[in-house]
Amino acid sequence: MSLHKIAVIGGDGIGPEVVEAGVEVLEALAAVEPGLAFDFKRFDWGSDYYRRNGRMMPQDGLEQIKGFDAIYFGSVGDPNLPDDVTLWGLRLAICQGFDQYANVRPTRLLPGLTGPLRPDLGKQIDWVIVRENSEGEYAGVGGRAHRGLPIEVGIDVAVFTRAGIERIARFACELALSRPRKLLTVVTKSNAQRHGMVLWDEVVRGVLRDYPGLSVDWMLVDAMTQRMVNKPGSIDTVLATNLHADILSDLAAALGGSLGIGSTSNIDPSRSRPSMFEPIHGSAFDITGKGVANPLGSFWTASLMLEHLGEQAAARRLMVAIELVTDRAEYLSPDLGGAASTAEVTSAVIAAVSGVNSPSS
Ligand code: NAD
Ligand code: MN
């Protein structure tokens, strides 16, 4: 019997809608998967909390959640608050505070979905993007001076450290090695960024020496975008910096059918602190409260969380259920060209979870 303590942070916009749908699905899984059980605790942190308390989460927020086995997260962002305040006050505060330095984003074109690529190309998409999640372009180092004057300046410094590059490179190599193709593409921009990105290349090259079993190729980030579109089958595991992988993974999500499906884990590979699992989309103000948000991203995310918790059978059962549902046009939400509501997609996945036997591996 394994009881998993999950901190649930719905956050803003459609975040709480898709996360609550995910909790329902996880409860349904627990009902059919022997020994699986969850203890969910909700935290009402986010922009409404900010309006009441002047901060996105309590001062001791990290203390409150550090004893959980995982964090199940929705999204942050509010039309009436600056994005840098909401993002840094909650999501990045957790990622950086818990040193969740590996951000992992799988993409596949799920059955029944078409996506914008030609069908023969779209079917080839089976990628995992590993994003450096603790430094690089989002280190938060920099400043503003001469505010309001014509000579005003704003500076963001990209921070690349040997230790930071080495640990994410190792993580990506291990992940690539665990996948059938053992194929890693390292993304860089060392032709134009002559310092940090050159160090990135050097340190990654050093780590690669320890992984002779991997096939490795290198891409400049701009060229990588066209390879993803034109030759998706030539890609498997991708290692990229914080900014580059942020952009590439939204492209990946779009090629995979919809931003509403993409899922992410923010992992502390040392497992000394909880890792965080979230759909890749944001608050989606345009559809908040309408009951039409696609919850599949948060379900796929829940499957990643189950894998991380060591619940491989439950993770597979959930993924199979998601794929049964995407294969049925009547269960597609509007972002996928259908008419199903969040609740309808959720009930369909719950029915599939409860009906499908866990496939053997
Ligand atoms: P967004 O992902 O919120 O929305 C982009 C478009 O995709 C919108 O048209 C939206 O309706 C659609 N969409 C997104 N998720 C969907 C879903 N599950 N089902 C159906 N349609 C979906 O991105 P944005 O508009 O750039 O950002 C809105 C806010 O969210 C901003 O404040 C931004 O900072 C924040 N944001 C937060 C995160 C996060 O918390 N990790 C990520 C991205 C954006
Ligand atoms: Mn992003």
Side-chain angles (χ1 to χ4, degrees), residues 14 75-77 83 91 259 278 281-287 294:
I14 63 169
S75 68
V76 281
D83 275 345
R91 189 177 163 273
L259 203 53
E278 54 173 348
H281 62 74
S283 306
F285 315 134
D286 49 335
I287 56 167
N294 186 348

Side-chain angles (χ1 to χ4, degrees), residues 89-103:
L90 187 57
R91 189 177 163 273
L92 289 179
I94 296 172
C95 288
Q96 302 207 341
F98 285 163
D99 205 19
Q100 295 162 342
Y101 66 82
N103 181 290

Side-chain angles (χ1 to χ4, degrees), residues 252-273:
L255 298 178
S258 166
L259 203 53
I261 299 176
S263 61
T264 285
S265 13
N266 301 282
I267 310 260
D268 165 21
S270 79
R271 289 179 178 263
S272 48
R273 286 147 296 222

Side-chain angles (χ1 to χ4, degrees), residues 233-244:
S234 71
I235 300 166
D236 187 82
T237 307
V238 177
L239 168 62
T241 69
N242 212 331
L243 169 66
H244 293 165

